[in-house]
Amino acid sequence: GLGIVAPQLVPLPPSLCPHLGGREAPAAGYGLLGDEVPARPLSLTPYETLRSFLAVIPPLAMLCAIVGLKAYRRTWLAAALLAGLTAAILLGALQVTSGDPRASRWYLYATCSFGSATGFFANSNHMATLLLMALPFLAPLLASVRRGNLQRYSAGLALAGAAVLVIIVGVALNRSLIAYVLAPPVLLASAVIALPMRHGVGLWAAVLIALLAIGAYAALLKADGEPLHF
């Protein structure tokens, strides 16, 4: 993310800016004002670009907190997340089964993605983010029982499979395009984290994850300007 945003803020020579795509009209505007074209960054909206650059701070802070507190070793945190997610999915099921979504008491906000399972959120895409984020957290739960006996590991695997099915149901109820296109690479990446794999298999899985992620990104770009829920 930083690698995509940061180069767009680097000023370009004035002789180059007018010849880049989409910059002819702004360059002509400087000419009408009698001014020379100044050095401008690649982004036509640098303030919005800087805002998206600063938006990376919260997830980086959360990553530092997880590593610093070694929260990835505390499986009860993953269990708490999955418990909250299950409650959100149940609430979402009540939301989408309402006869008149706009008059339903199960939606918690006056302005919502009515007709979709938003859970405790107002926007279906935010609920989709929670659904996808919960999948990798199944990995530490499986890792915690992998070192036990076969019966315990089989039980943990069955519970993890049931949790995945519940999340898939949540994705179907959510009806967000983001959830649909990002679920395959996230699900595969979670499986690579959770299950023991040979080096060669893991490498091919990583390549497939990258291709699925690129395809998902392309699908979201194609849908730009359209509603992200059906």
Side-chain angles (χ1 to χ4, degrees):
L2 296 176
I4 293 174
V5 175
Q8 298 185 47
L9 298 173
V10 177
L12 300 175
S15 59
L16 179 62
C17 290
H19 303 290
L20 297 177
R23 287 160 179 79
E24 296 84 358
Y30 284 107
L32 292 175
L33 295 174
D35 297 331
E36 296 183 356
V37 179
R40 299 287 296 172
L42 185 63
S43 173
L44 287 173
T45 55
Y47 295 107
E48 295 294 327
T49 303
L50 181 60
R51 187 176 70 171
S52 60
F53 183 82
L54 297 176
V56 182
I57 293 177
L60 285 179
M62 182 60 68
L63 175 62
C64 293
I66 290 173
V67 175
L69 298 174
K70 297 182 179 180
Y72 51 86
R73 295 182 180 178
R74 300 173 182 175
T75 55
W76 64 269
L77 292 175
L81 172 65
L82 294 174
L85 177 65
T86 302
I89 293 174
L90 291 176
L91 178 58
L94 293 173
Q95 291 169 342
V96 298
T97 54
S98 303
D100 183 5
R102 293 188 176 274
S104 174
R105 62 180 180 177
W106 297 112
Y107 286 96
L108 306 181
Y109 307 94
T111 303
C112 280
S113 299
F114 293 106
S116 301
T118 61
F120 300 108
F121 299 97
N123 191 303
S124 61
N125 295 325
H126 298 167
M127 178 64 180
T129 303
L130 176 63
L131 288 164
L132 297 177
M133 184 185 69
L135 284 172
F137 279 85
L138 294 173
L141 295 180
L142 274 181
S144 65
V145 298
R146 187 185 301 168
R147 294 182 294 271
N149 55 39
L150 180 60
Q151 184 177 4
R152 183 183 177 187
Y153 178 68
S154 300
L157 192 61
L159 290 175
V164 171
L165 290 178
V166 171
I167 293 174
I168 291 175
V169 170
V171 170
L173 294 175
N174 180 250
R175 301 174 63 191
S176 170
L177 180 60
I178 289 179
Y180 289 149
V181 299
L182 290 180
V186 173
L187 187 60
L188 182 57
S190 302
V192 171
I193 296 172
L195 302 176
M197 293 187 178
R198 296 181 179 178
H199 177 70
V201 177
L203 179 61
W204 282 108
V207 173
L208 181 57
I209 291 168
L211 293 176
L212 288 173
I214 293 172
Y217 181 68
L220 291 175
L221 284 180
K222 187 176 181 180
D224 187 26
E226 300 178 2
L228 288 183
H229 57 86
F230 298 108

